[in-house]
Amino acid sequence: MTEPTQTPAAPDERPIVSLRDVRRDYALGAERVHALQGVTLDVERGDYVAIVGPSGCGKSTLLNLIGVIDQPTSGTVEIGGKRVDDMSDWEATSFRLYNIGFVFQRFYLMPILSALENVALPMAEAKVPREERRERAAQLLAYVGLSNRERHRPSELSGGEQQRVAIARALANRPTLVLADEPTGELDAHTGAEIISLFQRLNADGTTIVVVTHDEGLADAARRKIHMRDGKVVDGSA
Amino acid sequence: MRTTLAQASLIRHRARTLLAVLGVAVAAAMLLDMVMLATGMRESFRELLVSRGFDLRLAPKGTLPFDTDATIPGVAAITSVLRNNPDIREISPVLGASIHIPIRNREGEGQGDVSSAVLGIDPTVQGDYEFLSGRDVTTPDAIVANDYLIRRLRARIGDTLAVATGYDPQTRTYSGQRKLVLMGRARFVYGAADQSAAAVRRETLEAMEGQARHDHASLFMIRVRKGADPDRVREWIETYIPSVSAISIATAIAQVDQRLSYFRQLAFILGAVSLFVGFLLVTTLVTVSVNERSGEIAVMRAIGVSRAHVVQQVVLEGVAISFAGALIGLGLGLATARYLNAILSAFPGLPMAIDFFLFQPSSAWTALALLVASGIAAGVYPAWRAASLPIAESLRREAIA
Ligand SMILES: Nc1ncnc2c1ncn2[C@@H]1O[C@H](COP(=O)(O)OP(=O)(O)OP(=O)(O)O)[C@@H](O)[C@H]1O
Ligand SMILES: [Mg+2]
């Protein structure tokens, strides 16, 4: 089964993610932490990028800016040719809903919803009709290999299964981009490997993926590795 | 989905939610009682006035019925003037006085006396008592009394009583004494259960009171024809009979209202306080619940759930607690109101028919509406917090925790 991504009407040669001289400072009391110090980066459509580097070098900060849940102090962020760095909360929310799929280290499923309902949640928000929602959520669960777990609550699933539900949820509204921050961080090597191959399959089916990771296996599976240090991209920027 | 999530958040901490609901229920009960108290006395007073079907009361100019010992002279003349108005259907003059009845033991020795209020009425048109048993005051030497007086007299129906309208404690002599036969039992509408009351024919009482009270009445009660406007009749009476004040039920209620304004203020303040306590309880609970779920909310926001929907979900939570609390509180409020009413109604000197707490469906609706509104208001602050959560930072904090 293939997972269709949103293909643009005309073939688009431009990068799907494009950052120019992006800086992000945090105020920490009276001090300023320069978490990103001028990042310039492009990600091509259909690419699979792993961002690696030592702890605290700004990987999550960078991913949050690409995911439009944070805004840069300066510089520009474009996604699918659209400026996202100065969007209002309302625009950003709707942009995330239709264009970004998030996968988190700790899965973060809604504990009281079943696997199927968790996957359907972003579709409900996007006002997809109930029947269609159900059908597609079931398809997505099948895609991640969890057809038999539809009715299960997160607490009744293993870590690897929860992460696969989270990946299905990320795909719910056919996003242009899937972002994952340490998606194997909470998993053992074996389950982690399952997630790695799931990401590879997802990318092979056309989804653009950006992961942040310390996991060598996951980073090696990506088509491209970007190394960061001290808030800068040191190797692999396009 | 929003309802599911709000519901889920409440169910997740069942014990905590239950405690909050109970807290709101207590506040709601208090609120309902105060709403009932604010309107109860006025309503039951109105019902009392309306119950015997008299629309107007005539008292001596400038007084309220039985407020003073003043009387209206010229009953016959006033009655004939009143008869000229075709809208007046029934006229019932009432003379009030007090009586003293000596009691003797079986050996005939004096055992002191019992005093009581007495009304001189015409039994065919009276509106002061409900006749219970025996015979009404159809003859000049008949008297009916309430159970309380009969008990104090240790008398039985058919007994002859020596009834006096005056007693001089200095010389220990009775005046206006007359032998009357206790013919029946009655319940006096405007009297309290623990007050002695009796009734005789008005002529009998006038005769006993002597020349001073001849052709006098303390009060007239008037029934108007069906469809006639009591206020028009009231104006007519005040124009043609200048010696009386005519009081319609509406003005009587307005006067009582004025006297009850302290009660209403008290009820208003206590009601507002309970509403506020309920509000704080719900705000606290929902704020705690939002803080606990900040990671979950940040995730929802990250995957594209709008601020408006987060707000709705949080407000819904507050409303659900308030609503559940209100429903339990209404039951609780009714029970406490009944209990308090029983205590307060035993207050000496109040007519039996006066209720402090009167249940009207409108009270319940008012209390319910106020609570639901306060539930919405209670959700506003935590909802605002939830909606303005910085997404990336909350996720980061959650990941560190
Ligand atoms: N909200 C914040 N306030 C202050 N400083 C912050 C904040 N968020 C991040 N930082 C700082 O910015 C820098 C980059 O943080 P970031 O989380 O992006 O690192 P990371 O590369 O993802 O690290 P890790 O691999 O440990 O997740 C760090 O020095 C961090 O302490
Ligand atoms: Mg990180």
Side-chain angles (χ1 to χ4, degrees), chain B residues 99-143:
Chain B
I99 47 172
H100 306 269
I101 306 165
I103 32 178
R104 295 177 191 288
N105 64 11
R106 247 172 273 147
E107 285 76 45
E109 295 159 12
Q111 298 260 298
D113 72 5
V114 168
S115 57
S116 167
V118 68
L119 297 176
I121 44 81
D122 174 350
T124 58
V125 291
Q126 64 82 19
D128 288 285
Y129 61 83
E130 195 183 316
F131 181 69
L132 297 177
S133 69
R135 272 170 56 198
D136 211 341
V137 286
T138 45
T139 53
D141 64 343
I143 184 167

Side-chain angles (χ1 to χ4, degrees), chain A residues 24 26-28 33-35 53-62 181-182 212 214, chain B residues 393 396:
Chain A
R24 177 67 168 101
Y26 293 109
L28 198 68
V33 180
H34 305 288
S55 185
C57 70
K59 305 182 294 293
S60 296
T61 303
L62 179 63
D181 197 342
E182 302 280 8
V212 161
H214 288 291
Chain B
E393 212 181 306
R396 182 188 162 77

Side-chain angles (χ1 to χ4, degrees), chain B residues 160-381:
Chain B
T160 301
L161 307 168
V163 179
T165 51
Y167 175 66
D168 183 349
Q170 225 96 76
T171 58
R172 298 186 173 194
T173 48
Y174 293 101
S175 56
Q177 204 166 34
R178 188 156 167 174
K179 292 223 178 306
L180 299 176
V181 182
L182 179 60
M183 299 296 278
R185 289 167 55 234
R187 192 181 69 81
F188 286 77
V189 181
Y190 305 102
D194 57 355
Q195 274 177 338
S196 300
V200 296
R201 297 186 71 90
R202 195 169 56 86
E203 314 86 79
T204 307
L205 190 57
E206 275 188 5
M208 289 165 73
E209 288 259 79
Q211 203 49 43
R213 288 292 173 90
H214 177 68
D215 203 27
H216 278 241
S218 308
L219 169 80
F220 284 80
M221 304 228 279
I222 287 173
R223 226 189 278 267
V224 302
R225 195 174 44 74
K226 240 193 169 63
D229 175 7
D231 265 307
R232 291 256 320 269
V233 177
R234 185 181 62 76
E235 281 165 27
W236 184 91
I237 291 172
E238 292 208 324
T239 315
Y240 289 95
I241 311 171
S243 62
V244 301
S245 289
I247 299 140
S248 67
I249 287 175
T251 45
I253 290 168
Q255 270 156 353
V256 166
D257 240 8
Q258 221 172 2
R259 295 187 180 196
L260 291 180
S261 73
Y262 293 108
F263 253 108
R264 273 204 314 282
Q265 273 171 31
L266 179 82
F268 180 81
I269 291 167
L270 291 181
V273 167
S274 17
L275 194 63
F276 191 60
V277 168
F279 165 84
L280 288 181
L281 201 60
V282 175
T283 314
T284 307
L285 181 84
V286 179
T287 304
V288 167
S289 143
V290 161
N291 286 350
E292 270 175 5
R293 286 183 299 142
S294 64
E296 208 172 283
I297 293 167
V299 170
M300 287 205 293
R301 297 282 287 117
I303 65 177
V305 174
S306 70
R307 273 186 172 160
H309 286 171
V310 169
V311 165
Q312 281 171 24
Q313 194 189 311
V314 173
V315 169
L316 206 63
E317 222 176 287
V319 171
I321 295 171
S322 302
F323 193 74
L327 289 187
I328 298 174
L330 293 186
L332 198 64
L334 285 179
T336 45
R338 187 170 296 179
Y339 177 67
L340 289 173
N341 205 32
I343 294 176
L344 289 175
S345 293
F347 196 79
L350 270 177
M352 276 176 289
I354 288 288
D355 282 319
F356 284 81
F357 298 87
L358 190 70
F359 180 76
Q360 295 165 283
S362 68
S363 317
W365 288 121
T366 307
L368 195 66
L370 283 172
L371 279 157
V372 169
S374 95
I376 295 173
V380 167
Y381 169 69

